[in-house]
């Protein structure tokens, strides 16, 4: 690779302006907003956009991370360092606490994951801190269920989403009216693609965790996907852990985060790799393989 990638700065600025407009609408319409922060590239871009939207004032959103207990150490370190750098309040709620309280039941077996359990922890956190809106980094190009969602996504008193009952957003007029106990999810980068995100990261020189660049990691193959391995993960008798060069396209709970065999160790090479790929970004997420409608089912229940 190595050739200079030409970025359409006008297109990138249009996307940035749209996202900043949405964030300012959130600040204007809601009283207690939080920004859902996973330590992944999309939520890092959201924090960067929020910083630009309200500069020179501080970001008017607290950061909320739902920690499964099975996160990459690199992600947690980056999360804490960024919160300190920006001097923003970081709220961390733990899936382990939900397990200990009997709110959710830990999965068992080789395909066990805490990813789905995050929904209960998230809804409990929103209720506890009385957040009336949670800003997320979901994008319509990621998955067909997310393609159905509007910028302002209404959630009922149970935190559930009804894809057939969404409010129109003509001329970018957003309706944040809600009843007691209800809240909104807002997705400022809905119209961005994975390639847009990477080009913006390069254009703005945004720092990311090293997981996104090629590095040596222990991995194994399952159902056609390469997965990162951790000591708490149970392997099938036919599965073998190897060490090789990989990078992450999307980051979540270790148990469901697929990795890509790659030599891309810089933004130029990553952008060229993404531009040439024919596989979907979330095609590397093992949790999306559980059923044909896995994502929509979880979103209806209150997932990110």
């Amino acid at each position: 690779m190595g050739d200079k990638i030409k970025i359409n700065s006008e297109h990138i600025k249009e996307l940035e302006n749209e996202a900043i407009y949405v964030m300012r609408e959130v600040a204007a319409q809601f009283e207690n907003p939080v920004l859902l922060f996973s330590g992944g590239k999309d939520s890092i871009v959201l924090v960067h956009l929020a910083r630009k939207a309200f500069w020179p004032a501080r970001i008017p959103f607290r950061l909320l991370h739902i920690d499964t207990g099975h996160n990459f150490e690199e992600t947690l370190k980056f999360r804490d360092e960024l919160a300190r750098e920006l001097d923003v309040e970081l709220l961390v709620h733990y899936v382990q606490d939900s397990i200990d309280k009997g709110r959710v039941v830990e999965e068992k077996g080789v395909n066990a994951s805490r990813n789905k359990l995050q929904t209960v922890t998230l809804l409990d956190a929103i209720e506890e801190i009385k957040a009336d809106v949670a800003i997320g980094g979901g994008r319509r190009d990621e998955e067909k269920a997310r393609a159905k969602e509007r910028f302002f996504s209404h959630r009922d008193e149970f935190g559930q989403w009804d894809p057939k009952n969404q409010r129109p957003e003509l001329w970018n007029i957003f309706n944040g009216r809600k009843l007691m106990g209800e809240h909104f999810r807002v997705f400022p980068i809905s119209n961005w693609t994975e390639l847009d995100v990477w080009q913006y990261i390069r254009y703005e020189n945004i720092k990311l965790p090293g997981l996104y660049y090629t590095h040596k990691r222990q991995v194994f193959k399952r159902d056609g996907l390469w997965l990162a391995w951790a000591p708490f993960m149970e392997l099938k008798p036919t599965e073998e852990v190897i060490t090789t060069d990989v990078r992450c396209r999307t980051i979540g709970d270790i148990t469901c985060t697929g990795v890509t065999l790659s030599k891309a160790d810089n933004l130029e090479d990553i952008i060229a790799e993404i531009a040439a790929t024919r596989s979907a970004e979330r095609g590397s997420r093992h949790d999306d393989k559980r059923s044909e409608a896995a994502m929509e089912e979880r979103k209806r229940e209150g997932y990110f």
Side-chain angles (χ1 to χ4, degrees):
M1 300 179 189
D3 294 334
K4 279 288 184 181
I5 302 295
K6 188 174 181 180
I7 293 178
N8 185 337
S9 59
E10 185 176 340
H11 171 68
I12 291 297
K13 293 302 290 184
E14 286 177 358
L15 290 173
E16 179 188 69
N17 290 338
E18 179 182 66
I20 286 175
Y21 171 75
V22 173
M23 285 193 168
R24 288 172 176 168
E25 280 293 301
V26 170
Q29 294 194 41
F30 297 95
E31 296 180 359
N32 190 17
V34 292
L35 192 154
L36 300 176
F37 188 79
S38 67
K41 67 182 187 308
D42 296 321
S43 60
I44 292 170
V45 165
L46 282 183
V47 172
H48 182 84
L49 288 163
R51 193 178 190 181
K52 294 191 75 170
F54 302 101
W55 181 265
R58 289 173 56 190
I59 297 173
F61 313 131
R62 293 182 289 176
L63 305 185
L64 172 61
H65 181 215
I66 304 302
D67 189 339
T68 66
H70 293 165
N71 295 99
F72 291 96
E73 284 299 321
E74 298 96 322
T75 303
L76 300 181
K77 181 181 178 182
F78 187 94
R79 175 199 71 186
D80 295 342
E81 289 177 351
L82 184 63
R84 283 195 297 269
E85 176 189 336
L86 299 179
D87 190 25
V88 295
E89 184 178 359
L90 171 65
L91 307 174
V92 182
H93 287 245
Y94 299 92
V95 171
Q96 184 62 54
D97 289 342
S98 298
I99 295 171
D100 294 342
K101 294 174 184 176
R103 294 281 293 142
V104 294
V105 177
E106 179 116 52
E107 296 181 357
K108 305 295 182 183
V110 294
N111 290 313
S113 173
R114 290 184 172 183
N115 198 53
K116 186 177 180 181
L117 307 185
Q118 293 180 85
T119 298
V120 171
T121 310
L122 172 62
L123 293 176
D124 286 350
I126 288 174
E127 173 63 24
E128 179 182 327
I129 65 180
K130 304 301 180 186
D132 53 0
V133 60
I135 304 167
R139 308 189 324 268
R140 294 190 179 111
D141 79 316
E142 289 183 279
E143 204 273 342
K144 57 188 177 183
R146 286 185 166 168
K148 299 178 181 180
E149 200 148 30
R150 305 283 168 81
F151 281 106
F152 273 40
S153 179
H154 175 262
R155 303 299 171 106
D156 65 20
E157 66 270 28
F158 303 106
Q160 296 179 335
W161 171 62
D162 182 1
K164 295 182 178 179
N165 187 27
Q166 297 189 81
R167 298 173 181 179
E169 294 180 340
L170 304 175
W171 306 290
N172 278 352
I173 297 175
F174 304 121
N175 182 357
R177 295 182 62 185
K178 60 180 182 58
L179 300 176
M180 181 79 70
E182 299 175 345
H183 73 278
F184 275 79
R185 307 286 172 84
V186 172
F187 304 99
I189 61 172
S190 288
N191 287 336
W192 298 38
T193 65
E194 181 187 10
L195 187 58
D196 290 331
V197 171
W198 278 108
Q199 290 184 330
Y200 186 72
I201 289 168
R202 178 175 173 268
Y203 188 77
E204 292 286 303
N205 194 28
I206 299 172
K207 183 180 177 183
L208 296 176
L211 293 166
Y212 282 108
Y213 303 93
T214 190
H215 60 285
K216 295 285 186 186
R217 184 168 295 276
Q218 290 184 299
V219 299
F220 65 97
K221 201 167 192 178
R222 175 176 294 173
D223 300 331
L225 300 177
W226 287 102
L227 298 175
W229 179 79
F232 54 79
M233 296 172 69
E234 184 177 339
L235 297 173
K236 298 177 182 178
T238 56
E239 294 172 341
E240 178 185 3
V241 176
I242 66 170
T243 301
T244 189
D245 291 322
V246 298
R247 72 173 195 86
C248 297
R249 286 177 69 185
T250 176
I251 296 175
D253 186 287
I254 292 176
T255 59
C256 61
T257 296
V259 295
T260 300
L261 303 181
S262 174
K263 297 291 186 181
D265 61 359
N266 59 74
L267 290 175
E268 292 282 342
D269 286 354
I270 289 174
I271 291 171
E273 187 176 88
I274 295 300
T277 190
R278 292 296 176 265
S279 61
E281 179 182 5
R282 287 193 68 94
S284 61
R285 290 294 289 269
H286 192 257
D287 53 322
D288 288 348
K289 307 295 183 185
R290 294 192 174 200
S291 75
E292 182 68 22
M295 174 61 79
E296 182 156 337
E297 290 168 1
R298 280 178 285 155
K299 286 187 72 64
R300 285 175 182 269
E301 295 168 0
Y303 187 70
F304 300 160

